[in-house]
Amino acid sequence: MEPNSNFTEDQLLLSSVQLQEQLEQQKALASVIVRIRESLDLERIFQTTVTQVRQFLNADRVAVFQFDLEKDWKGEFVYEDVAPGWNSALEVKVYDRCFGEEFASSYQEGQVQAVGDIYKAGLSECYVAILSKFQVLANLVVPLSPQKELWGLLCIHQCSETRDWKESEIEFICQIADHLAVAIQQAKHLNQVQLQAAKLAQAVQRDQVIARIVDKIRSPLDIETIFKTTTQEIRKLLQADRVAIFSFNPDWSGNFVAESFAEGWTPLVGVQPMIFDTYLQQTQGGRYVNNETFTVNDIYQSGLTDCHVTLLEQFQAKAFATAPILQGDQLWGVIAAYQNVSPRQWQSYEVESLTKIGTQIGVAVRHHKLLTYAQYQAEQQKTLTSVITRIRESLDLDTIFQTTVTEARKMLQADRVAVFRFDPQKDWEGEFISEDFVPECNSVIAEKVYDYCFGENFAPLYAQGRVNAIADIYQAKFPSCYVQILEKFQVRANMVAPLLKKGELWGLLCIHQCTAPRYWQPSEIEFTSQIAEQLGVALKQDSYLKQVQMQVIQLAEATEREKAMERQELLAATIDKIRQSLDIKTIFRTTTQAVRELLEVERVAIYRFNADWSGKFVADSFKDGWKPVLQEQLMIMETFEDTEDDNELPRNETFVPIRQGEKLWGLLVAYQNSQPRYWKEEEINLLAQVAVQFGIAIQQAELLEQTKRQTSELTQALQELKQTQTRLIQGEKMAGLGQLLAGVAHEINNPVSFIFGNLIHLNKYTEELLNAVKLYRQNSSLLPSVQAQIDKADLDFIIEDLPQTLESMKVGTERICDIVLSLRNFSRTDEAGLKAVDIHEGLDSTLLILGHRLKNNHERPAIEIIKEYAIFPLLECYPAQLNQVFMNLLSNSIDALEEKFKTIQQRYLKLSQRCPIIPLSIWISTQATNNQVVIRIADNGLGIPEEVRSHMFDPFFTTKAPGKGTGLGLSISYQIVVEKHHGQIKCSSKPGEGTEFLIEIPSGN
């Protein structure tokens, strides 16, 4: 017994040791799992794991090997824990050329490699060499495969000796690998989330930067500052080496006007000469005209032309993205982002950002152009006003000319402005008599000029007032003699305006650009023309100086006449404004505003009298700073001395009457509130003339308003007349139909009554004859011939069938009588007035008349009629008209059911499916509640849409095809129920479910 006892104790001891090992293994596994779950930092997770695993397994090295997915199973050890005395495997690149053939598929399937002795496991020489490199004698490798994708390996190395790996150790390492795979996947997801968050943050930052750039672009800065700020900000945003703005010339050449570039790169603005892009010149702007962008990730790999690549190399660019800058619909330029260091893959959001900025720059350029143009025009007008003022202030031509050329040159920023005078005694020979020029140009004063081809080429045109503007004398195809003269004065661009004196060519106003060609703007040509005209005026003034001194009085009278003509023109314009509208308020507003501008007063008001001669202001127009007088009910005016000429006294207002025909309508009042004013007679006359025209305009407006009102009333009356006429026609038709039905009923009733009355006697006679035949057959012997005839005629069948035939004739006759009675009940031609009737008879009569439409036919099954009649006393009503309502409603229900059947049947035909049974039903119910009789007629048709139901009782409104309905049935029904019976008719409907009409008629009509 002792040996067995010792064996049991050994087993127990071994089992206890195994349990202890499993417990320690689970503790170590739990500790590793807790560390993995405590952190999302992959580096910390791996380092903690390899340390604890090596300590638990008492191995020489535990390391994590990561594959480079872009290379063929090449990788490196990224984390390890190694015992002292052994080499580190970190950062050693490992490439096993036979790994893909021997182990890759196995590891991808999750298999574990446990090698107790690398020299006895039958491994390949290359693999043994790699393991020997890391001093490995025994090896345990578990794949790390998050989501079944081989990411790396968890390697346990025994370097000091060989080792037989236990199943528990292998299972422990597999569990560790599984949790590491989860940690890798979590870290991967975390990294993706962080990347997405970073992208969102970058997008928000880009939007903020773009918004800030747009705000700066829209702020009231000068265009150079806008360009500078924009290029700096967008370069920071895109992290590009250079961002530049390129502006096109009219010939599609251009140059850089602004840029921002990183340190170390050559500037383009002011350095690069004028750029001529033949493609853009040939295509008139190319893709940019169509608001398209252009991106090139590598200028050497994008198929660009050699000349284009050469141009980009001058810009030091290796990749670029461009977006157009549109000024309205016109291409102004391009904004470009350049990458100079290396090629670059441009992202869509970067191009979109560049496009947005290009759009905003286009808006800024347009605003700048408009502002510059406005400022330039203002400066032109200021200069022109200054010149005109100088001309009018002085009668000395030399002073006038010198002032003019100085101001004009400053305004036009030209190199020279000069006045040339022809010698009237010589053929187009002359000299410059006044000039202003920049220091770089020579003076032309006193230079004698004779152009022998001037008279042939230019004199007639200048005499007609034409201005000659030349951008480049060498491109204008001028005669050589003319070019030689201009070269003498260093002229490259030239603009010449004629100076006319009394319609004759006196001289020329010359604008010279000496340094370079110049494209003269239309505003500059117009300005020069105006200056020339004013100089012409100065010439006239000089010519007429003595005559003016002798004819001062005549000129004064002429001036007065001109003013009178101007006033008449202004008056005519004012009257035209008043006559342009016939709206009273528009006339009020137009008159007060026009008169205030005409008389240059501070307020013009219209005062209207009431019948008792009280009144109020109905309109006024006033300058800024004054309050309206529309709320004042009374007009109080100062009194003046009763003199013969009150107009000679200064006062704050003047007024004239407004007459509408012979009636005094009101007053037209002009105010000068700031100070008293001497009102001139012509001003009062103008005011009176305006008042007369104003009175006529008011009369016409009121007549127009009256005419419109009468037209509206007549239109409404005509419409009502048409509706009444149509209703009468419909009523006559229904009355005729009733009479026809009554006549037919009467004609049928007479012969039917005759037949029905004789059937009683016929039945009696037949019965007696049959009884006699029976007795005869029973009590006498029949002759053979008689018996043969009886057998031939089948007398027994006749005796049996004859009473049944007579009964069938009686039933048919009774049916005809019922139909005749229903026709009479429906028509009720003798009951046109109010009468107490059973409305159920009217409903049944209507159903009987419509019976042929209720039966089944080849197009649809029969329509089921469901009646729920309540019991109540006779109703006092118009029976025939009420029957007409029933007829209209029931006919519409039958139409709706036929339409429903047709629609559903066609739907199934299109689907090539068998059509199910479609129930077609009409419900008729009556009840008496609250002294009212309620009649409901409902169907299970397709229903009525709301937009149709809201107009269904309107006259002539119908949804039926032309020729199938007049649109009067429901309108007449509404009139009969509501107007004749003082009741109500309502309609409720749900599309797809059916329609119900509810009729309420007071029982005490």
Side-chain angles (χ1 to χ4, degrees):
M1 294 298 292
E2 290 182 0
N4 291 334
S5 176
N6 292 334
F7 179 74
T8 303
E9 290 178 358
D10 292 339
Q11 284 183 331
L12 291 175
L13 182 60
L14 179 61
S15 177
S16 175
V17 171
Q18 290 176 345
L19 288 175
Q20 185 66 28
E21 288 180 353
Q22 290 180 358
L23 180 61
E24 291 297 327
Q25 180 178 333
Q26 292 300 321
K27 286 182 180 180
L29 179 63
S31 175
V32 172
I33 293 172
V34 169
R35 294 296 181 89
I36 290 174
R37 292 182 177 178
E38 282 179 349
S39 174
L40 291 174
D41 182 9
L42 203 60
E43 180 178 357
R44 182 179 176 184
I45 290 172
F46 280 144
Q47 195 59 53
T48 301
T49 301
V50 297
T51 301
Q52 291 193 355
V53 169
R54 194 188 69 78
Q55 292 175 356
F56 177 75
L57 295 179
N58 195 23
D60 295 329
R61 181 188 297 111
V62 175
V64 175
F65 184 82
Q66 182 179 3
F67 291 110
D68 187 343
L69 299 180
E70 295 182 357
K71 299 180 180 179
D72 188 16
W73 306 113
K74 188 176 183 180
E76 62 182 341
F77 289 98
V78 291
Y79 302 99
E80 72 171 355
D81 188 72
V82 61
W86 305 105
N87 298 333
S88 173
L90 287 181
E91 297 182 357
V92 176
K93 301 293 183 181
V94 178
Y95 177 65
D96 183 358
R97 63 180 179 275
C98 55
F99 176 84
E101 300 176 358
E102 296 185 12
F103 306 106
S105 60
S106 299
Y107 286 144
Q108 285 177 336
E109 294 175 358
Q111 294 184 11
V112 178
Q113 185 191 49
V115 177
D117 187 343
I118 66 173
Y119 298 107
K120 296 179 179 181
L123 301 179
S124 62
E125 294 181 1
C126 60
Y127 191 48
V128 171
I130 293 173
L131 293 176
S132 300
K133 180 180 179 181
F134 297 111
Q135 305 167 300
V136 177
L137 292 178
N139 188 29
L140 176 61
V141 180
V142 180
L144 300 176
S145 302
Q147 290 189 341
K148 298 182 179 180
E149 179 182 352
L150 187 58
W151 179 88
L153 304 172
L154 177 61
C155 303
I156 293 85
H157 294 162
Q158 198 70 29
C159 303
S160 58
E161 59 184 352
T162 59
R163 177 171 178 172
D164 293 327
W165 302 100
K166 300 178 181 179
E167 289 295 331
S168 59
E169 293 174 334
I170 296 173
E171 182 180 358
F172 171 72
I173 294 302
C174 287
Q175 291 176 343
I176 293 295
D178 289 340
H179 286 283
L180 284 179
V182 173
I184 292 170
Q185 186 62 32
Q186 289 178 343
K188 184 178 180 180
H189 287 165
L190 178 62
N191 187 39
Q192 291 176 349
V193 171
Q194 289 174 343
L195 287 176
Q196 291 177 352
K199 288 181 179 179
L200 289 174
Q202 290 176 356
V204 171
Q205 183 181 7
R206 286 196 304 273
D207 292 341
Q208 291 175 349
V209 171
I210 291 174
R212 185 169 65 250
I213 294 173
V214 171
D215 289 339
K216 290 182 179 181
I217 290 175
R218 292 180 176 178
S219 62
L221 301 174
D222 63 278
I223 196 68
E224 287 79 10
T225 304
I226 291 174
F227 286 165
K228 180 179 178 181
T229 303
T230 302
T231 53
Q232 289 175 349
E233 295 291 342
I234 198 66
R235 189 177 68 82
K236 292 178 183 177
L237 176 64
L238 300 181
Q239 296 181 354
D241 294 330
R242 187 195 310 274
V243 172
I245 295 175
F246 185 84
S247 174
F248 288 113
N249 294 324
D251 61 353
W252 299 106
S253 64
N255 54 358
F256 290 99
V257 296
E259 67 176 336
S260 174
F261 53 90
E263 185 177 357
W265 302 106
T266 304
L268 301 179
V269 177
V271 176
Q272 282 289 334
M274 191 73 68
I275 297 172
F276 295 90
D277 190 325
T278 55
Y279 170 76
L280 293 177
Q281 289 177 328
Q282 292 172 0
T283 59
Q284 301 292 296
R287 60 175 60 85
Y288 300 123
V289 175
N290 299 321
N291 199 19
E292 297 178 7
T293 59
F294 186 34
T295 57
V296 170
N297 299 326
D298 188 340
I299 65 172
Y300 301 108
Q301 302 296 328
S302 298
L304 301 178
T305 60
D306 293 340
C307 60
H308 199 172
V309 172
T310 302
L311 183 63
L312 291 169
E313 287 175 344
Q314 295 178 12
F315 303 158
Q316 303 172 298
K318 289 185 173 59
F320 67 88
T322 56
I325 300 174
L326 296 176
Q327 183 181 320
D329 295 332
Q330 301 295 322
L331 180 62
W332 179 87
V334 173
I335 181 170
Y338 295 101
Q339 196 70 22
N340 298 348
V341 176
S342 62
R344 171 172 177 171
Q345 185 72 31
W346 298 100
Q347 303 299 321
S348 58
Y349 65 83
E350 296 174 330
V351 179
E352 182 180 357
S353 300
L354 201 65
T355 303
K356 290 180 180 179
I357 296 300
T359 302
Q360 296 300 325
I361 292 175
V363 174
V365 169
R366 181 173 176 80
H367 289 174
H368 172 71
K369 181 178 180 180
L370 292 175
L371 178 62
T372 303
Y373 184 70
Q375 292 174 344
Y376 184 75
Q377 283 189 322
E379 290 296 326
Q380 279 188 344
Q381 292 301 318
K382 182 178 178 181
T383 302
L384 184 61
T385 303
S386 174
V387 171
I388 294 172
T389 302
R390 297 291 182 89
I391 290 174
R392 292 181 177 178
E393 287 177 351
S394 175
L395 293 176
D396 180 23
L397 276 180
D398 293 338
T399 303
I400 292 172
F401 286 153
Q402 192 57 50
T403 301
T404 301
V405 295
T406 302
E407 296 289 342
R409 194 192 67 77
K410 291 179 181 179
M411 184 62 221
L412 296 175
Q413 296 183 353
D415 293 335
R416 181 191 297 116
V417 176
V419 175
F420 182 83
R421 181 181 61 185
F422 291 109
D423 187 343
Q425 304 298 326
K426 298 181 180 179
D427 188 14
W428 305 117
E429 184 177 340
E431 62 182 345
F432 290 98
I433 59 172
S434 183
E435 70 173 348
D436 188 74
F437 57 95
V438 296
E440 293 80 6
C441 294
N442 300 328
S443 173
V444 296
I445 290 292
E447 284 283 347
K448 298 291 183 178
V449 178
Y450 175 66
D451 182 1
Y452 56 85
C453 57
F454 177 85
E456 298 177 1
N457 297 314
F458 303 105
L461 298 177
Y462 286 139
Q464 296 174 8
R466 295 278 294 276
V467 178
N468 190 18
I470 306 303
D472 189 341
I473 64 172
Y474 300 110
Q475 302 295 328
K477 297 181 181 180
F478 283 145
S480 58
C481 58
Y482 190 58
V483 173
Q484 291 174 0
I485 293 173
L486 294 175
E487 287 177 341
K488 178 181 179 181
F489 301 120
Q490 305 168 293
V491 176
R492 184 66 184 271
N494 189 30
M495 180 164 58
V496 179
L499 300 178
L500 303 176
K501 178 180 179 182
K502 294 183 180 181
E504 296 182 358
L505 187 58
W506 179 89
L508 302 172
L509 176 63
C510 303
I511 319 297
H512 294 163
Q513 197 71 23
C514 302
T515 55
R518 174 169 176 173
Y519 295 96
W520 302 103
Q521 302 299 319
S523 58
E524 296 172 334
I525 297 173
E526 177 65 20
F527 172 74
T528 303
S529 178
Q530 291 177 346
I531 293 293
E533 289 180 4
Q534 295 303 322
L535 289 178
V537 172
L539 292 172
K540 288 182 181 179
Q541 289 178 348
D542 181 68
S543 176
Y544 293 147
L545 178 59
K546 294 181 180 180
Q547 297 179 19
V548 168
Q549 293 174 347
M550 297 174 59
Q551 301 172 357
V552 173
I553 298 176
Q554 295 177 0
L555 288 176
E557 293 176 353
T559 303
E560 285 299 322
R561 286 195 299 271
E562 289 179 2
K563 289 183 179 180
M565 291 177 63
E566 290 177 0
R567 284 194 296 269
Q568 290 300 321
E569 291 176 356
L570 291 173
L571 176 63
T574 302
I575 294 172
D576 183 61
K577 290 180 181 179
I578 296 173
R579 294 286 184 85
Q580 285 179 356
S581 176
L582 290 175
D583 178 65
I584 292 292
K585 293 183 179 179
T586 304
I587 293 173
F588 286 168
R589 184 176 63 254
T590 302
T591 302
T592 53
Q593 184 176 352
V595 172
R596 186 172 65 81
E597 295 173 356
L598 178 65
L599 298 181
E600 298 180 355
V601 294
E602 294 169 350
R603 184 195 304 277
V604 172
I606 297 174
Y607 187 83
R608 182 173 185 175
F609 290 114
N610 298 323
D612 58 355
W613 297 108
S614 64
K616 64 179 180 179
F617 288 99
V618 294
D620 68 341
S621 175
F622 51 89
K623 292 180 66 176
D624 294 340
W626 300 102
K627 296 180 179 180
V629 297
L630 295 181
Q631 303 301 325
E632 300 181 16
Q633 297 299 315
L634 297 176
M635 182 179 69
I636 303 175
M637 293 182 289
E638 299 177 5
T639 57
F640 301 97
E641 296 181 6
D642 188 10
T643 62
E644 294 182 356
D645 193 1
D646 289 341
N647 291 331
E648 294 181 358
L649 298 175
R651 59 187 188 186
N652 292 93
E653 82 288 325
T654 185
F655 56 88
V656 293
I658 301 173
R659 296 185 180 276
Q660 188 178 357
E662 298 297 329
K663 177 184 176 182
L664 181 61
W665 183 89
L667 301 174
L668 181 60
V669 190
Y671 291 93
Q672 193 72 23
N673 296 337
S674 57
Q675 61 184 3
R677 172 172 174 169
Y678 288 93
W679 300 95
K680 297 180 182 179
E681 183 178 356
E682 57 268 20
E683 293 175 334
I684 297 175
N685 289 337
L686 282 174
L687 196 63
Q689 293 180 54
V690 172
V692 171
Q693 297 299 325
F694 178 72
I696 295 172
I698 291 175
Q699 188 173 11
Q700 291 177 343
E702 291 184 354
L703 287 174
L704 177 62
E705 187 67 27
Q706 182 180 358
T707 303
K708 288 181 178 179
R709 186 169 57 253
Q710 292 175 350
T711 302
S712 177
E713 292 173 355
L714 289 174
T715 302
Q716 184 177 359
L718 179 61
Q719 186 67 20
E720 292 176 355
L721 181 60
K722 287 182 178 180
Q723 294 178 10
T724 303
Q725 181 182 11
T726 307
R727 289 171 180 170
L728 288 174
I729 293 171
Q730 187 71 9
E732 288 296 328
K733 289 181 179 179
M734 292 305 297
L737 178 60
Q739 292 177 358
L740 177 62
L741 293 176
V744 171
H746 177 73
E747 292 300 327
I748 295 174
N749 189 50
N750 288 336
V752 169
S753 298
F754 174 77
I755 295 170
F756 187 73
N758 289 331
L759 280 174
I760 299 173
H761 302 292
L762 181 60
N763 191 39
K764 182 178 179 182
Y765 298 155
T766 302
E767 185 177 355
E768 291 177 356
L769 286 172
L770 292 176
N771 289 333
V773 170
K774 288 179 181 179
L775 288 174
Y776 182 75
R777 292 178 68 184
Q778 293 174 0
N779 299 323
S780 61
S781 59
L782 299 175
L783 296 174
S785 61
V786 175
Q787 184 63 45
Q789 184 64 32
I790 289 173
D791 294 337
K792 181 179 181 181
D794 195 1
L795 184 60
D796 292 333
F797 173 76
I798 294 173
I799 292 172
E800 182 182 354
D801 187 60
L802 184 57
Q804 295 179 4
T805 302
L806 291 174
E807 184 62 29
S808 298
M809 293 173 65
K810 181 182 177 182
V811 172
T813 307
E814 289 175 349
R815 175 62 177 163
I816 294 174
C817 291
D818 290 340
I819 294 174
V820 170
L821 180 61
S822 297
L823 292 174
R824 293 181 62 190
N825 287 337
F826 180 79
S827 62
R828 294 186 182 271
T829 56
D830 56 341
E831 299 172 0
L834 283 171
K835 187 176 181 179
V837 296
D838 183 359
I839 62 170
H840 298 150
E841 292 182 359
L843 287 167
D844 291 338
S845 299
T846 305
L847 289 172
L848 184 61
I849 293 173
L850 294 172
H852 67 288
R853 295 194 62 192
L854 298 172
K855 297 178 181 179
N856 64 330
N857 53 43
H858 66 282
E859 293 183 352
R860 60 161 175 78
I863 297 174
E864 181 185 9
I865 301 296
I866 303 172
K867 296 188 287 188
E868 298 177 2
Y869 292 167
I871 300 175
F872 49 80
L874 301 180
L875 176 65
E876 188 176 4
C877 63
Y878 296 93
Q881 295 186 12
L882 205 55
N883 287 345
Q884 184 180 350
V885 174
F886 298 155
M887 176 67 77
N888 289 333
L889 297 183
L890 289 170
S891 296
N892 285 343
S893 293
I894 294 171
D895 292 339
L897 292 173
E898 289 178 345
E899 182 65 24
K900 172 185 177 181
F901 184 84
K902 182 179 178 181
T903 301
I904 296 176
Q905 190 178 45
Q906 288 179 351
R907 186 186 308 160
Y908 279 92
L909 285 175
K910 289 181 179 178
L911 297 175
S912 299
Q913 297 179 3
R914 183 178 180 183
C915 182
I917 297 175
I918 303 171
L920 305 176
S921 304
I922 296 177
W923 292 266
I924 305 174
S925 66
T926 61
Q927 65 181 110
T929 56
N930 300 328
N931 296 326
Q932 284 187 334
V933 173
V934 179
I935 305 160
R936 288 184 170 87
I937 299 176
D939 62 68
N940 62 343
L942 295 176
I944 303 174
E946 176 61 29
E947 60 270 16
V948 174
R949 191 155 54 87
S950 60
H951 296 284
M952 63 191 310
F953 294 115
D954 295 346
F956 308 106
F957 179 80
T958 180
T959 59
K960 298 179 181 178
K964 293 187 177 181
T966 62
L968 291 172
L970 291 178
S971 175
I972 292 173
S973 299
Y974 182 86
Q975 183 184 16
I976 291 172
V977 174
V978 177
E979 298 180 10
K980 297 287 287 186
H981 291 85
H982 306 290
Q984 293 185 1
I985 180 170
K986 303 176 183 176
C987 175
S988 60
S989 179
K990 292 183 179 179
E993 296 184 11
T995 304
E996 179 184 79
F997 284 91
L998 183 142
I999 302 172
E1000 296 178 349
I1001 299 178
S1003 57
N1005 258 331

